[in-house]
Amino acid sequence: MMPNNLFILQSSPHFKDKDSVPKIMYAVIISLMPAVLASLYFFRFKALFLYLACVITALITEALFLLLRKKSLDSLSDGSAIITGLLLAMTLPPSLPVEHAVIGAVMAIAIGKQVFGGLGQNIFNPALVGRAFLQTAFPVAMTTWIPPITQKINTATFATPLGNLKFQDAVAQGTLSPLKDLFFGNIGGCLGETSALALLVGACYLFYKRAIDWRIPVGIICSLMVFTGMFWLINPNKYASPLFHVLAGGLIIGAFFMATDMVTSPVTPLGTTIYALGIGVLVGTIRLFGGFPEGVMYSILLMNTAVPLLNQFTRPRILGERRKK
């Protein structure tokens, strides 16, 4: 018989923490609920069907890949697939056909997560991978917008605040969306970008739970405000204010809920700061000078590719370690 007083030897690190993957994931899910409820209020059943399609498809795709890889299905309960489905739905226009959302959820889990080895191994934010695929495969459907029910406008299409700014010269024409509407959510756009207030309420909960690194959203917002603010000060009749750029589009959901993904963001303080500043500058560059009205998705994905290098070159030196020549 084996003695009962054997020691179990394991390699470092030997950290004990109350946090766990499921605990952090479900904290993020809770933090998304205000924005989910706001989108359901503004877009009703269209929003509901997209949420259900994305979340259910993400869970099914995750289960299928776990079975194919002969892994335990216990990881389905960690909440990561649910978050991917929710975030993907929140980046979609409410008018998108449900079957397109299903395809996007499959790509998010299969290509954005499982092909890299599953949770913790992916180098890109899975929800943004799914959205990038949909943007490429169905460009018309992904850029067709409808007004929120609260506006009671009888029209088949509707311009988003950033689309109005980019293609209709809203600043010069005086048709720029009011900051009040951007803050409370009475605007057109993707499900998760219609109410800045709802997103900020959720972000406060994430800070309370210490589930995200504050440097990332603060760095993104500050760099975007400085970058767009320079051009606004030079020519306020052509460029929108920095506050407009913060409240419009997917900046807030991207800064607080996507760029802060622990797997795809740097682990060092300096690397995190560079990562955040890079995203903010890229968003501003694409919005002001690019062909697309929005640039949050591309900016985060581009900086995701730089994370391994940032981790390598910003790693603090160990005491006594010689600097490499």
Side-chain angles (χ1 to χ4, degrees), residues 162-176:
L162 288 175
N164 191 31
L165 172 65
K166 170 68 74 174
F167 302 117
Q168 300 180 23
D169 199 13
V171 175
Q173 299 295 328
T175 59
L176 202 65

Side-chain angles (χ1 to χ4, degrees), residues 53-226:
C54 289
V55 172
I56 293 173
T57 304
L59 287 169
I60 293 174
T61 306
E62 180 101 335
L64 290 175
F65 269 85
L66 289 174
L67 291 173
L68 288 172
R69 297 173 57 214
K70 297 181 181 179
K71 300 289 186 179
S72 172
L73 293 179
D74 292 343
S75 61
L76 275 178
S77 62
D78 64 13
S80 61
I82 298 175
I83 290 178
T84 298
L86 282 175
L87 287 176
L88 174 62
M90 297 176 83
T91 65
L92 302 179
S95 59
L96 189 75
V98 172
E99 58 270 24
H100 292 176
V102 169
I103 295 172
V106 171
M107 298 302 295
I109 296 294
I111 304 301
K113 182 180 178 183
Q114 288 297 328
V115 296
F116 292 102
L119 181 63
Q121 307 299 320
N122 52 291
I123 61 174
F124 299 107
N125 184 288
L128 290 180
V129 171
R131 191 190 193 281
F133 176 83
L134 292 176
Q135 184 74 45
T136 304
F138 310 106
V140 175
M142 288 293 290
T143 53
T144 300
W145 313 96
I146 59 174
I149 291 177
T150 51
Q151 290 202 10
K152 298 180 180 179
I153 299 175
N154 294 321
T155 179
T157 59
F158 189 74
T160 64
L162 288 175
N164 191 31
L165 172 65
K166 170 68 74 174
F167 302 117
Q168 300 180 23
D169 199 13
V171 175
Q173 299 295 328
T175 59
L176 202 65
S177 300
L179 295 179
K180 179 182 177 182
D181 287 345
L182 295 175
F183 184 72
F184 288 106
N186 192 29
I187 56 171
C190 295
L191 296 181
E193 66 184 37
T194 52
S195 176
L197 174 61
L199 291 168
L200 291 173
V201 170
C204 289
Y205 180 76
L206 287 180
F207 282 127
Y208 169 72
K209 300 296 288 186
R210 297 183 178 181
I212 60 174
D213 188 336
W214 64 269
R215 297 178 185 86
I216 296 176
V218 171
I220 292 173
I221 292 172
C222 289
S223 59
L224 177 67
M225 292 190 71
V226 170

